Amino acid sequence: MARRSPWPWIWLVLGGVYFVLPLWATLQFSLQARRGELSLLAYSNVLASPVFFNSFRFSLQAALLSILVSTLLVVPTAYLVQLRLPQARPAVELLTLLPLVVPGVVLVFGLIRSYNRTPLTNSRSGTYVLLIGGYVMLSLPYMYRAVDTGLRAINLRALTEAAQSLGAGWLTTMLRVIFPNIYLALLSGAFITFAIVMGEFTIASLLSQPAFGPYISLLSNSKVYEPSALAVISFALTWASIAAVELLSQRRRRQR
């Protein structure tokens, strides 16, 4: 039998140390708010602040609204591209990849300049709409590919023809046939979108929105240990989203 090379395991261990060590240092520093002992004082200070809950609630609402808008935009588009317009797939994929190569600063300034002197920039509700639009654009690469993968995994044409043969219209087909069959892919894209919105800083800061990301940055100007505690909480939210996607995927595989 051929000997297995140890290099894959070596690189895996080195990569794990590279990612875990800074997080461990941040966690340890966040527990040193009391000199000479480890304590959760920084976490209790953060959780006792009403500003923390206001910013967290704001970002949570923005994340849920961004997920809703992304779903309503991406699912019909991916459905039509795969079923009716396969020749448009390269152009759609290129458009959905653009947010990965356009910096957030360029994106938000483009939005501000494009909608300058309009109701979208003259009121707080208008800038909130711009914020949601920016978040939807940031989530497009992940949401579209998650939905597209889910649609490729099912027999889309057969399901559509079966629904139409039973008298279902386009809306009924989408709501009662397509969405239930790709709900796991939708959840994957939704959790990634949630993680992006909760940690986003540039767009929310330049639009002067009281989001969770700018709150972490502002807190670092006046506190020492609390920003590290917030960073750990933010990482925990991201990992919880990833773990939820993995658990749902395993449950789906067991059901199959």
Side-chain angles (χ1 to χ4, degrees):
M1 296 179 63
R3 294 182 58 186
R4 295 183 177 179
S5 174
W7 284 107
W9 290 103
I10 292 175
W11 289 116
L12 180 63
V13 171
L14 290 177
V17 171
Y18 177 80
F19 285 107
V20 173
L21 191 59
L23 183 58
W24 171 253
T26 304
L27 175 62
Q28 188 177 21
F29 184 76
S30 67
L31 298 175
Q32 295 178 355
R34 289 179 178 173
R35 182 174 299 179
E37 62 175 319
L38 299 179
S39 68
L40 297 175
L41 179 61
Y43 293 88
S44 62
N45 291 338
V46 167
L47 296 177
S49 173
V51 182
F52 166 78
F53 285 102
N54 292 334
S55 62
F56 185 85
R57 183 173 62 250
F58 180 90
S59 292
L60 179 61
Q61 293 174 351
L64 295 177
L65 188 55
S66 300
I67 291 170
L68 177 62
V69 175
S70 298
T71 301
L72 296 178
L73 176 66
V74 169
V75 175
T77 302
Y79 173 80
L80 290 175
V81 167
Q82 186 164 332
L83 190 64
R84 304 291 185 185
L85 301 170
Q87 67 275 11
R89 179 182 298 276
V92 174
E93 290 184 349
L94 177 62
L95 289 175
T96 57
L97 283 174
L98 286 179
L100 293 178
V101 297
V102 177
V105 176
V106 177
L107 176 61
V108 67
F109 273 109
L111 289 173
I112 293 174
R113 291 298 300 271
S114 299
Y115 298 100
N116 190 25
R117 297 180 181 178
T118 67
L120 292 179
T121 56
N122 293 334
S123 63
R124 180 169 293 274
S125 59
T127 54
Y128 184 76
V129 173
L130 287 181
L131 178 73
I132 300 302
Y135 286 162
V136 170
M137 284 187 278
L138 288 181
S139 67
L140 273 181
Y142 313 99
M143 181 66 80
Y144 179 81
R145 268 143 194 84
V147 172
D148 186 64
T149 302
L151 291 175
R152 286 172 177 266
I154 62 177
N155 194 337
L156 187 62
R157 186 172 298 277
L159 289 173
T160 301
E161 291 177 353
Q164 291 176 349
S165 66
L166 295 174
W170 181 84
L171 183 60
T172 303
T173 302
M174 291 295 299
L175 295 178
R176 304 189 63 177
V177 178
I178 303 303
F179 276 95
N181 280 279
I182 62 169
Y183 82 95
L184 186 59
L186 282 173
L187 287 177
S188 300
F191 281 124
I192 296 175
T193 302
F194 173 79
I196 291 173
V197 173
M198 295 303 296
E200 201 280 327
F201 167 77
T202 304
I203 297 177
S205 177
L206 293 177
L207 289 177
S208 301
Q209 298 295 318
F212 191 60
Y215 170 67
I216 297 177
S217 178
L218 290 174
L219 191 66
S220 63
N221 296 328
S222 58
K223 302 292 183 179
V224 178
Y225 301 100
E226 284 76 3
S228 298
L230 277 176
V232 174
I233 294 173
S234 179
F235 273 111
L237 289 173
T238 303
W239 286 0
S241 300
I242 296 174
V245 172
E246 183 63 25
L247 290 175
L248 290 172
S249 300
Q250 292 180 0
R251 180 180 178 184
R252 182 68 172 180
R253 286 194 293 266
R254 286 196 299 266
Q255 290 176 351
R256 288 180 178 178

